[in-house]
Amino acid sequence: MQHDAHSHHDHDTHTGHEGHTGHAGPTTGHESHHEQHGRHHQRHGGGHHAPGKVSWSMAAKATLHCLTGCAIGEVLGMVIGTALGWGNTQTMILAIVLAFFFGYALTLRGILAAGVDFKTAFKVALAADTLSIAVMEIIDNGIIALWPGAMDAHLSEPFFWIVLAIALAAAFVITTPVNKWMIGRGKGHAVVHQYHH
């Protein structure tokens, strides 16, 4: 008698548990359990499917694209600022402006090559690169500004180039996930890709 009561209790508990995990109310039976599982799978799979379309290599390429423009602009800005005898602040502002300019320019070149008019291409470049370049510049210049002696190092000193390389590498590592997230949401360089094919 006790055995029967025990097995009956287990069965009730199990059925109640099924209903609870599915969050589907007082439904019972194999069909509802299957539907619950399907719904859970769809919700779970849906969360992974969209970002799954964006590979890390795609995000890295987009980031490297921005990084190339940023690096050209920054180095050129520092060379010009140094040649003109400007102070650190003026030189850094020029470097940042040129970093944005060259970052956008590289993207523009690719879009214009696809036969898109300049106005549309410029809007696409702004949408694709603004956040990416901004994050990159904050990280890059932040490291250079905070690194002891880096702001006062001359372009002829290896120390300056070592710090710059570390700053750009850090900017690349931190900006890549940002680009991956943006591309996954159909923004950033996802906007550019449609003009390449």
Side-chain angles (χ1 to χ4, degrees):
M1 180 68 182
Q2 284 182 341
H3 179 70
D4 289 345
H6 181 68
S7 61
H8 182 68
H9 175 72
D10 278 354
H11 180 69
D12 283 351
T13 308
H14 183 66
T15 312
H17 183 64
E18 267 185 6
H20 179 70
T21 53
H23 302 289
T27 53
T28 54
H30 290 294
E31 190 181 350
S32 67
H33 183 69
H34 180 70
E35 283 172 0
Q36 289 163 15
H37 183 266
R39 206 165 34 244
H40 175 71
H41 180 72
Q42 188 179 16
R43 189 166 62 240
H44 187 67
H48 284 280
H49 186 63
K53 289 179 183 175
V54 186
S55 63
W56 280 103
S57 65
M58 186 190 289
K61 279 178 190 173
T63 308
L64 197 60
H65 184 93
C66 286
L67 190 71
T68 304
C70 287
I72 292 168
E74 283 198 24
V75 172
L76 192 60
M78 287 170 190
V79 168
I80 293 169
T82 303
L84 295 175
W86 287 4
N88 289 339
T89 306
Q90 294 161 303
T91 303
M92 186 174 270
I93 289 168
L94 177 65
I96 291 169
V97 169
L98 289 176
F100 271 92
F101 173 79
F102 281 99
Y104 289 137
L106 288 180
T107 300
L108 268 174
R109 189 185 67 170
I111 301 167
L112 290 170
V116 180
D117 65 281
F118 183 82
K119 190 177 176 182
T120 305
F122 187 70
K123 284 180 182 176
V124 171
L126 284 178
D129 288 339
T130 302
L131 182 63
S132 180
I133 296 172
V135 171
M136 203 167 277
E137 286 303 291
I138 289 166
I139 303 301
D140 180 30
N141 287 288
I143 290 172
I144 292 170
L146 295 172
W147 197 298
M151 289 291 285
D152 299 316
H154 295 284
L155 297 178
S156 57
E157 296 176 32
F159 172 68
F160 168 80
W161 295 101
I162 291 166
V163 175
L164 180 64
I166 292 168
L168 288 171
F172 175 80
V173 170
I174 293 165
T175 311
T176 298
V178 174
N179 276 323
K180 188 175 188 293
W181 175 76
M182 285 180 69
I183 295 167
R185 295 180 72 229
K187 297 183 179 183
H189 269 254
V191 185
V192 177
H193 286 301
Q194 63 187 332
Y195 293 100
H196 288 302
H197 300 291

